[in-house]
Amino acid sequence: MHALDKMFRPRSVAVIGASGDPEKLGGRALWHIKELGFQGKIYPINVTAREVQGLPAYPSVLDLPETPDMALMVLPAKLVAKSLEECAQKGIKLVQVLSSGFAEEGGEGVAMQAKLVEIVKRHGMRITGPNALGSISPPDQFFGTFSSLLATARPGPGTVGVATQSGAYGSHIYAVAGFRGVGISRAIATGNEADIDVAACIDYLAEDPGTTVICASLEGCKDGAGLRRALLKAAAAKKPVIIMKVGSTEEGAAAAATHTGSLAGEDRIIDTVFRECGAIRAQSIEEMIDIAYVCSIAPLPPSRGVGILSVSGGLGVLMADGGIHAGLKVPAMSDQVLAQIREMQPTAGGHNPIDTTAQLNGRMHIFETISQAMMGGADLGSFVFYLAHLGRNIERFPPLEKALTELRKAAPDRLVVAVMTHIDEIRVKLEAAGIPVFEDPSRAIRAIAGATFVRELQAAAVAAPVLAKGAPIALASKNEAAAKELLAKSGVPVLPEKACATSAEAATAATAMGFPVVMKILSDDIPHKTEVGGVLLNVADAAAVAAGFAELIRRATEKKPQAKLDGVLVAPMVSGGVETIIGVQRDPVFGPMVMFGLGGISVELFNDVAFATAPLTPERAEKLIASVKGAKLLDSFRGRPPMDKAALVKALVAVSELAVTQEDVIESVEINPFLVRQEGAYALDALVALRGEAASH
């Protein structure tokens, strides 16, 4: 049994702070458990009352005749720590702290929350919250929450598990899911996550035999490794995870931090983690529930191809456009299949979507034959049928139901979706046959895309390799020369450069390299050389090198008089190729993350970059490169010869391994530009920042 199972399926529960008034939070939580079908034992805890809502009450959990499986705590914040200690004395291992007034309010609340964490660790307990909403398990008729939703709507039993941080967010998901006809297996809102977080709940749902699909929502994450493990566990169990992360903007991230007292994190980093671990990110609650709805009753499409049949040409085109925008494919049907369809329905037009026109409504007996013919017309993972308002006509529905269910049987591994206005009786019949029903064609297409990508993401999900930490390194200096020396030792190719302390030394070095050369100011105190005019290009001869040395020193002294100057870096001048950027950012939650994109000024202009968890394998490095739009420039773009992508892959792997083996030392790495040529590639500029120190450049 999973450690959190009794959080959802307890045999006995104590409600600490239980009230006789169902309008109060403590009274509402008790009323829900008592009145909504829970079959286990209920122990109200109230300091003064001997009976609460018709149940015998106890002044403390210490007075209970047994140790309950779980406790719900609804007390003023200042009383929570004492009550938690009493739970520990009684041997209660699972407690849900629904009380607010902790880290989400800052100040004294942060210290009070820290006290709860200390108690939990000392006694080996687990808690949700504080500031949590509670947990529910509709199949077990357990509703351990004070959510006001239950006054008007109760989530029905099903196979979709829900884990959120925000209570209001969670209850809204429960409500929308219920209205959509999506049943819930287990659901929980974890609040401030002093202990149990959403990742731990995903871990539980990945094991739970009653859950087939997982919906989750994060405002922040403190345990990056735990989230990765949980998502990979769900992917291995073939349980789709549809996840939302609020706080994708700077303003939203700040709001999220004030709501739950947790950091929201770099959005692009967490987006990468979701994708790598097999979870699909939804952009709205509606999209989340739609994808979960499809995944809970139908197979995940085996390919991106979607076949569209519509009684309306315009709506068929709408769905085709939506499919392409969502990343699906809408391949044309074969001529043979099109001939078959037109033999049965001469007015049918198009190659995919197929427009049967409204005349099909009067000839529903041929719908089954047409839909079956489509199966062999192209590589299709999904079929979607727009059928106008036939879902509201119970008398004309049977031929349609037969055609759709027969298609579903003939293609058991493929997704069949009906789009039509409908009555519930017809919708329920189709859902029982594994056929999702939508009224909005655009929502249907987005849900199909989501289900398709879930399968792809889960198939590709794999944990990053584990590398042992290396002996800590130290940079002799913080300048570019020292950074490149470190990178070169790690396997990143650099040019034969030389750090020069005098103009004569620079001229000699340049002559040995061959002209033209590049000259750059070297200083620990000048990380961004262009700000002081500290770079000279195409320096053509020894005399120009000597003059350039003096000029660079003059500019740096004038612009940064306090800077300590280490001399000038002289390097061969190279041209051609594609400028890229390679970087590493040590995320405080998820650890080292590799960045790749177009380099030079393009990175600021287009921001065309992508991230991946370090360390990279060559295969993962290739995927990272392919995920950047500008990577097309590395191929035979418009007749140009291809660049040395293999050299780029090696450099990405080398930088990623350096970042992991030196995670305790290195804060960030930036190579911009990393020049990829037809043969070979080179780090032309580099910036390395050690943890707690200024960057070197």
Side-chain angles (χ1 to χ4, degrees):
M1 183 181 296
H2 194 282
L4 301 189
D5 190 66
K6 291 180 181 179
M7 194 80 76
F8 301 92
R9 302 193 298 162
R11 293 164 300 180
S12 55
V13 58
V15 181
I16 304 172
S19 169
D21 183 357
E23 294 302 313
K24 293 183 177 180
L25 298 187
R28 195 186 303 165
L30 175 62
W31 193 92
H32 290 159
I33 298 171
K34 183 172 71 79
E35 298 295 331
L36 298 183
F38 178 61
Q39 298 301 304
K41 296 179 181 178
I42 308 170
Y43 297 109
I45 306 299
N46 185 294
V47 175
T48 57
R50 298 284 71 84
E51 181 181 290
V52 177
Q53 295 188 30
L55 295 173
Y58 302 83
S60 165
V61 292
L62 298 175
D63 301 309
L64 294 178
E66 65 169 331
T67 299
D69 286 342
M70 190 258 287
L72 292 177
M73 192 177 295
V74 194
L75 291 171
K78 292 185 177 181
L79 302 179
V80 169
K82 178 177 181 296
S83 181
L84 195 59
E85 289 278 15
E86 292 177 349
C87 287
Q89 284 182 255
K90 189 65 177 178
I92 302 173
K93 293 298 183 181
L94 289 171
V95 180
Q96 300 205 56
V97 182
L98 311 189
S99 311
S100 59
F102 291 86
E104 78 279 5
E105 294 189 2
E108 185 183 0
V110 175
M112 289 195 296
Q113 184 165 311
K115 177 63 177 176
L116 302 188
V117 174
E118 184 275 323
I119 294 170
V120 166
K121 289 182 177 179
R122 177 157 40 89
H123 293 289
M125 305 168 69
R126 301 302 307 271
I127 65 168
T128 61
N131 193 30
L133 184 68
S135 59
I136 66 173
S137 179
D140 301 287
Q141 301 183 86
F142 175 70
F143 295 89
T145 176
F146 57 67
S147 172
S148 59
L149 167 68
L150 300 182
T152 57
R154 189 193 316 181
T159 63
V160 176
V162 180
T164 71
Q165 280 181 267
S166 166
Y169 205 101
S171 64
H172 192 78
I173 291 175
Y174 312 160
V176 173
F179 302 151
R180 185 72 178 87
V182 176
I184 301 294
S185 57
R186 328 280 175 228
I188 190 167
T190 55
N192 290 5
E193 299 190 341
D195 175 30
I196 295 171
D197 60 7
V198 167
C201 297
I202 293 174
D203 183 274
Y204 165 75
L205 295 170
E207 284 190 21
D208 178 34
T211 298
T212 62
V213 180
I214 301 169
C215 291
S217 170
L218 296 173
E219 295 184 19
C221 177
K222 299 173 183 175
D223 181 6
L227 180 60
R228 280 192 175 104
R229 285 193 301 270
L231 293 177
L232 288 168
K233 184 176 182 179
K238 301 302 180 187
K239 294 188 180 183
V241 177
I242 306 103
I243 193 164
M244 292 188 68
K245 163 65 169 62
V246 300
S248 60
T249 63
E250 184 177 344
E251 294 80 2
T258 59
H259 181 212
T260 63
S262 64
L263 296 175
E266 163 62 53
D267 189 68
R268 289 186 298 183
I269 297 295
I270 203 165
D271 192 60
T272 297
V273 171
F274 291 164
R275 186 174 61 254
E276 289 180 336
C277 296
I280 188 166
R281 186 174 184 178
Q283 299 302 316
S284 68
I285 292 177
E286 178 183 81
E287 182 184 18
M288 171 187 279
I289 297 301
D290 282 348
I291 298 172
Y293 164 67
V294 170
C295 293
S296 67
I297 65 174
L300 303 183
S303 73
R304 294 192 181 193
V306 57
I308 302 170
L309 184 146
S310 174
V311 299
S312 161
L315 284 172
V317 173
L318 175 70
M319 290 190 288
D321 285 345
I324 296 299
H325 289 314
L328 297 174
K329 298 179 180 178
V330 188
M333 299 289 172
S334 68
D335 292 340
Q336 181 181 356
V337 168
L338 290 173
Q340 286 181 264
I341 292 174
R342 284 165 188 151
E343 182 179 347
M344 292 176 279
Q345 181 75 4
T347 59
H351 297 82
N352 188 20
I354 304 296
D355 176 15
T356 64
T357 75
Q359 291 186 31
L360 182 67
N361 289 344
R363 308 181 69 223
M364 289 306 297
H365 60 285
I366 69 169
F367 180 82
E368 182 175 341
T369 310
I370 293 176
S371 61
Q372 294 278 350
M374 289 177 63
M375 277 201 305
D379 178 18
L380 303 176
S382 307
F383 301 92
V384 58
F385 301 99
Y386 175 72
L387 300 164
H389 311 292
L390 286 169
R392 301 190 62 80
N393 193 325
I394 196 69
E395 295 179 357
R396 297 180 62 192
F397 176 63
L400 174 63
E401 178 186 15
K402 179 177 181 296
L404 291 171
T405 53
E406 286 300 318
L407 178 63
R408 181 74 183 80
K409 292 176 184 176
D413 65 328
R414 289 188 264 185
L415 175 60
V416 178
V417 175
V419 180
M420 56 189 178
T421 62
H422 55 266
I423 58 176
D424 286 345
E425 182 180 350
I426 287 178
R427 173 183 60 80
V428 170
K429 285 185 177 182
L430 289 178
E431 288 173 347
I435 301 168
V437 182
F438 286 83
E439 290 192 331
D440 185 306
S442 297
R443 285 177 62 180
I445 288 294
R446 287 193 295 270
I448 291 170
T452 303
F453 298 141
V454 162
R455 182 173 183 140
E456 291 184 7
L457 290 168
Q458 287 190 333
V462 61
V466 177
L467 295 180
K469 299 288 177 65
I473 55 95
L475 292 180
S477 174
K478 300 174 187 177
N479 62 37
E480 178 185 342
K484 285 182 175 175
E485 182 181 357
L486 172 62
L487 292 171
K489 289 179 180 178
S490 304
V492 178
V494 299
L495 293 168
E497 305 170 337
K498 185 170 178 59
C500 303
T502 67
S503 60
E505 187 180 356
T508 301
T511 301
M513 292 174 192
F515 295 99
V517 296
V518 178
M519 301 179 68
K520 306 177 187 179
I521 194 72
L522 281 178
S523 172
D524 290 0
D525 302 318
I526 306 177
H528 302 290
K529 295 182 285 293
T530 55
E531 294 179 358
V532 300
V535 179
L536 297 176
L537 305 177
N538 288 307
V539 184
D541 53 42
V545 169
F549 187 99
E551 177 63 14
L552 289 175
I553 297 296
R554 184 193 67 77
R555 292 178 183 179
T557 302
E558 182 179 289
K559 296 287 183 65
K560 296 279 188 179
Q562 305 303 320
K564 177 182 176 294
L565 304 182
D566 301 322
V568 170
L569 183 68
V570 179
M573 182 75 195
V574 294
S575 59
V578 176
E579 290 188 350
T580 67
I581 182 171
I582 296 175
V584 170
Q585 175 179 328
R586 192 192 68 82
D587 186 86
V589 175
F590 296 103
M593 302 292 295
V594 183
M595 178 186 71
F596 172 74
L598 289 183
I601 63 171
S602 295
V603 67
E604 297 180 16
L605 191 61
F606 303 115
N607 199 22
D608 183 20
V609 297
F611 291 85
T613 298
L616 297 174
T617 61
E619 295 75 20
R620 293 181 65 236
E622 289 174 357
K623 286 185 178 180
L624 175 61
I625 295 168
S627 67
V628 172
K629 294 178 182 178
K632 294 178 182 178
L633 295 173
L634 298 168
D635 300 321
S636 300
F637 186 73
R638 294 196 172 182
R640 297 195 317 179
M643 301 295 114
D644 192 347
K645 200 180 292 185
L648 172 60
V649 167
K650 288 181 180 179
L652 281 165
V653 172
V655 171
S656 75
E657 291 179 349
L658 171 66
V660 172
T661 57
Q662 296 295 327
E663 181 179 357
D664 296 336
V665 178
I666 293 179
E667 180 67 26
S668 66
V669 175
E670 181 181 317
I671 307 172
N672 184 25
F674 183 79
L675 184 68
V676 187
R677 308 179 78 190
Q678 292 180 45
E679 291 187 13
Y682 305 97
L684 299 188
D685 204 347
L687 179 147
V688 173
L690 303 185
R691 295 181 65 173
E693 296 183 2
S696 64
H697 188 250

